[in-house]
Amino acid sequence: MEIGFQKIGLAFNFTPTSKDLLQEALRIQKLFSSRLYLIHIGKDDENYNKMLNDVLKEMKLKENDYELIWSDGDPATEIIKTCSEQEIELLLAGALEKENIIKFYIGSVARKLMKYSPCSILIYKIPIIIKPFRKIFVSIDYSPLGEKAMQIAYQLAIKEGNPSLDVVREFYIPGLTATLQDSCDVGQFENMIEKATKEEEEKTRVFLNELNLQNINIDIHCIYGKEKRAERNFVDENSPDLYIIPSKIKKPTLWERFLPMETEHIFEDLPSNILIVR
């Protein structure tokens, strides 16, 4: 069963990265034969219209190639609203590789979109490198959302002409660290981790076999850790072109500004382009 994106939205403005984002949006649109929606937050006046038309003309876009949506207000709020109203399935946006501590607590536009977007969202690491996603890592769990993330990773890999795909599964055994502290036997602890890793690898193989993913080589990496931190370190070391993560839709609350979501630390210093699947 093919899972694709029929409607793709691009959060578009006039920053230096806008043209690169648009070029990537057109590439993704072509891969999935999607309808492209350009979402611009700002006043719909003559000056902005001219700037936009110049960019679209330079990219050789025709009017029937996209749908333009103007909105005025808080950028994150308006983009999220537009995605809901237009039933966008994939939102594309850019983000700085590192965000300062002020933005961490106040919340940048990209951070809010990552947390509260009602659809899957692809965050590009800036500067944007325009090229196919040749090295794709996908984080999985055994939930329906984890299955969806795996299916999307597979479809992307096939469409990009990749012969292989890397699956990352972080797992954790409650109480194992306490066992180490009580026994003070490092060797025993390492043996337990090795045994548990092999068992987790077998579970992952069963999970993948049920999805019947053909014509691709899948490398499995089961890593002991929690809160995605060990997984994040592994991704850092291997530098993929795209890191795919399943993540449920969150509803904004004041409290969550100070209590990050489980994947929040990943966004503090992007390891790669990130696709959050919802």
Side-chain angles (χ1 to χ4, degrees), residues 39-94:
I39 306 169
H40 178 71
I41 309 303
K43 295 181 179 179
D44 184 2
D45 59 26
E46 184 177 344
N47 182 47
Y48 277 117
N49 265 294
K50 184 180 183 307
M51 292 171 65
L52 181 60
N53 287 332
D54 289 344
V55 172
L56 298 180
K57 184 177 180 180
E58 182 180 341
M59 301 298 294
K60 298 181 180 179
L61 275 177
K62 300 177 182 178
E63 288 188 7
N64 59 354
D65 291 335
Y66 65 93
E67 184 170 333
L68 177 61
I69 299 173
W70 291 83
S71 187
D72 195 13
D74 175 72
T77 300
E78 293 302 318
I79 292 170
I80 290 170
K81 179 182 176 182
T82 298
C83 287
S84 294
E85 292 176 346
Q86 300 296 328
E87 298 181 337
I88 302 295
E89 295 170 284
L90 175 65
L91 175 66
L92 279 60

Side-chain angles (χ1 to χ4, degrees), residues 140 142 200-208 220 222:
I140 64 163
Y142 305 133
E200 199 66 33
E201 288 173 350
E202 185 57 34
K203 290 180 185 177
T204 303
R205 287 191 187 92
V206 172
F207 172 78
L208 295 173
I220 298 173
C222 290

Side-chain angles (χ1 to χ4, degrees), residues 23-274:
Q23 190 167 337
E24 268 296 294
L26 294 173
R27 195 179 70 80
I28 300 298
Q29 176 195 29
K30 185 176 181 180
L31 285 179
F32 289 100
S33 300
S34 309
R35 178 67 175 166
L36 177 62
Y37 293 75
L38 300 180
I39 306 169
H40 178 71
I41 309 303
K43 295 181 179 179
D44 184 2
D45 59 26
E46 184 177 344
N47 182 47
Y48 277 117
N49 265 294
K50 184 180 183 307
M51 292 171 65
L52 181 60
N53 287 332
D54 289 344
V55 172
L56 298 180
K57 184 177 180 180
E58 182 180 341
M59 301 298 294
K60 298 181 180 179
L61 275 177
K62 300 177 182 178
E63 288 188 7
N64 59 354
D65 291 335
Y66 65 93
E67 184 170 333
L68 177 61
I69 299 173
W70 291 83
S71 187
D72 195 13
D74 175 72
T77 300
E78 293 302 318
I79 292 170
I80 290 170
K81 179 182 176 182
T82 298
C83 287
S84 294
E85 292 176 346
Q86 300 296 328
E87 298 181 337
I88 302 295
E89 295 170 284
L90 175 65
L91 175 66
L92 279 60
L96 296 177
E97 181 176 351
K98 296 183 179 180
E99 296 197 273
N100 62 40
I101 193 67
I102 295 176
K103 287 185 178 179
F104 177 82
Y105 286 110
I106 296 176
S108 68
V109 173
R111 185 182 297 280
K112 289 178 182 177
L113 293 177
M114 181 190 74
K115 293 175 71 173
Y116 308 127
S117 168
C119 60
S120 297
I121 177 169
L122 175 51
I123 300 288
Y124 282 90
K125 180 177 178 178
I126 296 175
I128 296 172
I129 300 175
I130 302 172
K131 68 174 185 177
F133 299 133
R134 293 300 186 193
K135 190 175 183 181
I136 299 175
F137 279 29
V138 53
S139 173
I140 64 163
D141 53 36
Y142 305 133
S143 68
L145 189 59
E147 180 178 329
K148 181 180 179 180
M150 188 65 218
Q151 291 281 10
I152 288 174
Y154 169 70
Q155 292 298 330
L156 260 175
I158 292 296
K159 291 177 184 297
E160 295 279 31
N162 297 341
S164 64
L165 182 63
D166 288 83
V167 172
V168 186
R169 165 68 180 161
E170 185 184 79
F171 70 100
Y172 180 70
I173 303 174
L176 194 57
T177 302
T179 300
L180 170 64
Q181 293 173 343
D182 292 340
S183 67
C184 296
D185 188 341
V186 176
Q188 181 184 3
F189 178 77
E190 291 178 345
N191 289 336
M192 293 174 68
I193 291 296
E194 183 179 356
K195 180 181 178 181
T197 300
K198 290 180 179 178
E199 291 175 352
E200 199 66 33
E201 288 173 350
E202 185 57 34
K203 290 180 185 177
T204 303
R205 287 191 187 92
V206 172
F207 172 78
L208 295 173
N209 287 338
E210 291 178 352
L211 298 181
N212 193 30
L213 308 177
Q214 301 179 1
N215 303 317
I216 195 167
N217 178 58
I218 298 178
D219 293 323
I220 298 173
H221 311 276
C222 290
I223 304 167
Y224 182 74
K226 63 178 181 177
E227 298 179 347
K228 301 293 183 184
R229 295 187 183 278
E231 179 179 311
R232 164 61 198 269
N233 290 337
F234 178 79
V235 173
D236 269 340
E237 292 169 1
N238 288 275
S239 304
D241 298 319
L242 182 65
Y243 177 29
I244 301 177
I245 309 168
S247 179
K248 295 179 180 179
I249 299 172
K250 303 284 286 186
K251 292 186 177 180
T253 64
L254 178 62
W255 190 242
E256 280 190 352
R257 288 187 178 184
F258 304 97
L259 288 179
M261 61 190 284
E262 62 176 5
T263 55
E264 183 96 2
H265 62 280
I266 293 172
F267 199 66
E268 294 172 22
D269 184 359
L270 293 183
S272 66
N273 303 313
I274 292 181

